[in-house]
Amino acid sequence: AEDLPVINYDNSRKYEIADIKVTGIENPMYEDYTILGFADLQIGQRVEVPGPEITNAIKRFWRQGLFSDVKIAASKVEGNKIWLEIILKERPRISDIVYSGMKKGERQDIEARIGMVKNLQITPNQMDRAKTIIRKYFDEKGFNKAEINVSEKPDLSKENQVILHIDVVKKNKTKVNTIIIEGNSEVKSSTLEKAMKKTRHKSTFKAWIRNFLRSTKYVPESYEEDKDNLIAKYNELGYRDAAILWDTVYTSEKNPNKMDIRIKVDEGSKYFIKDIKWVGN
């Protein structure tokens, strides 16, 4: 290979771009003009070397998240003209995806949610996003203590390709042991518990009868919705200023596999309709 021209990095100089060549990518998904669009450099453009135009072009390539290495070199310099070479290395592509620790239906659901398929380029952000989506999926099913691992291993039979491994250890479902509501003197705890549509317990006889055929799994998102449902019940009964002062969810001392929920409410005053006037009839 020919030696690259020597660039004096102590003093920058203006050059006119005579040509730009893209190298380093085999079977690219994008045409050269699209890749050059990432760089925002054009033939005939005057740039400072070294200077901000080249530095910013490299930064734009990194922001795309598609490349594991980016270099811009001067392949030739004549007078005030410069020939640039953009040397890229693509991030690896997925040759296969291996799932473990889940049922067939769960795997199919996760496949649809994460949108990862063979031949797709894999980036750290995509792996983090997949892990977040999978964790949310199992949270919704009550497996809040599930261990999720998304990793890649080189496919030794294919160059620059990896096998994606998605491993899940579901562990036991997290269930609610009991719900304790404090600060309510006007509205019964049982009434407020009924307003919580998806967060239930069976720690008392009445609650066991009420929720006999219902699940007591603890789902964080459903619990957040049920706190709103609790306040909505207060509003429905005329307590327009009712509010939750604080709440906490913690591992039950009696049953380490279940959660206790404690909610402190401020009921406020009850409002009544004093008068109704009809206008325009």
Side-chain angles (χ1 to χ4, degrees), residues 242-270:
I244 293 176
L245 298 179
W246 54 262
D247 70 289
T248 181
V249 180
Y250 54 95
T251 302
S252 172
E253 292 182 3
K254 295 182 179 180
N255 191 335
N257 292 322
K258 293 187 177 183
M259 310 300 290
D260 284 342
I261 297 175
R262 188 178 294 269
I263 302 172
K264 176 73 172 182
V265 299
D266 179 5
E267 294 181 316
S269 301
K270 186 173 184 178

Side-chain angles (χ1 to χ4, degrees), residues 51-52 59 127 138 186 218:
K59 288 180 180 178
M127 292 174 66
F138 283 105
E186 300 298 325
Y218 171 68

Side-chain angles (χ1 to χ4, degrees), residues 15-20 33 36-47 53-54 57 60 82 84 86:
Y15 292 93
E16 179 185 332
I17 299 176
D19 191 26
I20 308 174
Y33 67 85
L36 291 176
F38 297 157
D40 197 23
L41 296 171
Q42 299 177 359
I43 295 174
Q45 179 182 352
R46 288 182 60 80
V47 297
E53 295 93 346
I54 302 299
R60 280 189 285 270
I82 190 168
L84 295 179
I86 300 174

Side-chain angles (χ1 to χ4, degrees), residues 193-208:
E193 288 175 19
K194 289 177 184 177
M196 300 173 74
K197 306 295 184 183
K198 297 181 180 179
T199 309
R200 314 177 187 96
H201 72 105
K202 297 179 181 178
S203 63
T204 65
F205 181 72
K206 289 184 178 179
W208 187 85

Side-chain angles (χ1 to χ4, degrees), residues 146-163:
E147 294 178 359
I148 316 295
N149 185 43
V150 180
S151 61
E152 57 178 289
K153 295 181 181 178
D155 186 338
L156 300 179
S157 65
K158 298 176 182 177
E159 186 178 354
N160 202 33
Q161 294 199 29
V162 296
I163 300 173

Side-chain angles (χ1 to χ4, degrees), residues 205-218:
F205 181 72
K206 289 184 178 179
W208 187 85
I209 293 295
R210 183 168 64 246
N211 299 316
F212 177 67
L213 296 176
R214 298 180 179 180
S215 170
T216 60
K217 67 182 179 182
Y218 171 68

Side-chain angles (χ1 to χ4, degrees), residues 1-262:
E2 297 181 2
D3 293 335
L4 295 175
V6 177
I7 300 293
N8 185 352
Y9 286 89
D10 293 330
N11 298 302
S12 60
R13 179 181 167 186
K14 283 278 189 179
Y15 292 93
E16 179 185 332
I17 299 176
D19 191 26
I20 308 174
K21 182 170 64 174
V22 178
T23 62
I25 303 179
E26 297 182 9
N27 303 317
M29 291 183 63
Y30 304 96
E31 300 292 340
D32 281 0
Y33 67 85
T34 303
I35 295 176
L36 291 176
F38 297 157
D40 197 23
L41 296 171
Q42 299 177 359
I43 295 174
Q45 179 182 352
R46 288 182 60 80
V47 297
E48 195 173 0
V49 180
E53 295 93 346
I54 302 299
T55 300
N56 290 335
I58 292 174
K59 288 180 180 178
R60 280 189 285 270
F61 276 110
W62 282 118
R63 281 198 293 268
Q64 295 301 319
L66 302 173
F67 309 100
S68 60
D69 194 19
V70 180
K71 296 176 183 176
I72 298 181
S75 58
K76 181 179 177 182
V77 174
E78 286 186 1
N80 69 335
K81 291 192 175 183
I82 190 168
W83 282 253
L84 295 179
E85 182 177 357
I86 300 174
I87 308 166
L88 303 171
K89 183 177 179 181
E90 278 190 304
R91 289 197 178 275
R93 298 182 186 277
I94 299 172
S95 65
D96 196 9
I97 305 176
V98 178
Y99 295 86
S100 66
M102 63 198 80
K103 298 177 182 178
K104 181 179 179 181
E106 292 170 338
R107 177 179 60 78
Q108 292 172 338
D109 288 343
I110 289 171
E111 283 178 334
R113 293 191 183 202
I114 64 176
M116 286 188 173
V117 294
K118 293 181 182 180
N119 204 38
L120 178 75
Q121 277 183 297
I122 184 69
T123 69
N125 285 343
Q126 288 173 322
M127 292 174 66
D128 289 342
R129 176 179 174 273
K131 189 172 181 178
T132 300
I133 291 173
I134 295 168
R135 181 167 301 285
K136 182 180 178 182
Y137 174 80
F138 283 105
D139 277 351
E140 292 171 353
K141 285 183 165 289
F143 295 99
N144 306 102
K145 297 180 181 179
E147 294 178 359
I148 316 295
N149 185 43
V150 180
S151 61
E152 57 178 289
K153 295 181 181 178
D155 186 338
L156 300 179
S157 65
K158 298 176 182 177
E159 186 178 354
N160 202 33
Q161 294 199 29
V162 296
I163 300 173
L164 190 66
H165 289 262
I166 299 177
D167 305 308
V168 177
V169 180
K170 292 190 287 188
K171 298 188 175 181
N172 294 329
K173 283 188 177 182
T174 305
K175 295 188 176 183
V176 178
N177 178 58
T178 188
I179 299 174
I180 303 169
I181 301 175
E182 301 174 354
N184 57 314
S185 58
E186 300 298 325
V187 182
K188 294 180 180 179
S189 292
S190 59
T191 300
L192 299 175
E193 288 175 19
K194 289 177 184 177
M196 300 173 74
K197 306 295 184 183
K198 297 181 180 179
T199 309
R200 314 177 187 96
H201 72 105
K202 297 179 181 178
S203 63
T204 65
F205 181 72
K206 289 184 178 179
W208 187 85
I209 293 295
R210 183 168 64 246
N211 299 316
F212 177 67
L213 296 176
R214 298 180 179 180
S215 170
T216 60
K217 67 182 179 182
Y218 171 68
V219 179
E221 286 191 1
S222 297
Y223 172 58
E224 291 301 317
E225 293 174 4
D226 279 337
K227 286 193 290 184
D228 293 335
N229 291 334
L230 185 151
I231 295 300
K233 171 56 69 173
Y234 265 118
N235 294 163
E236 177 188 325
L237 297 173
Y239 296 90
R240 310 299 298 177
D241 297 330
I244 293 176
L245 298 179
W246 54 262
D247 70 289
T248 181
V249 180
Y250 54 95
T251 302
S252 172
E253 292 182 3
K254 295 182 179 180
N255 191 335
N257 292 322
K258 293 187 177 183
M259 310 300 290
D260 284 342
I261 297 175
R262 188 178 294 269

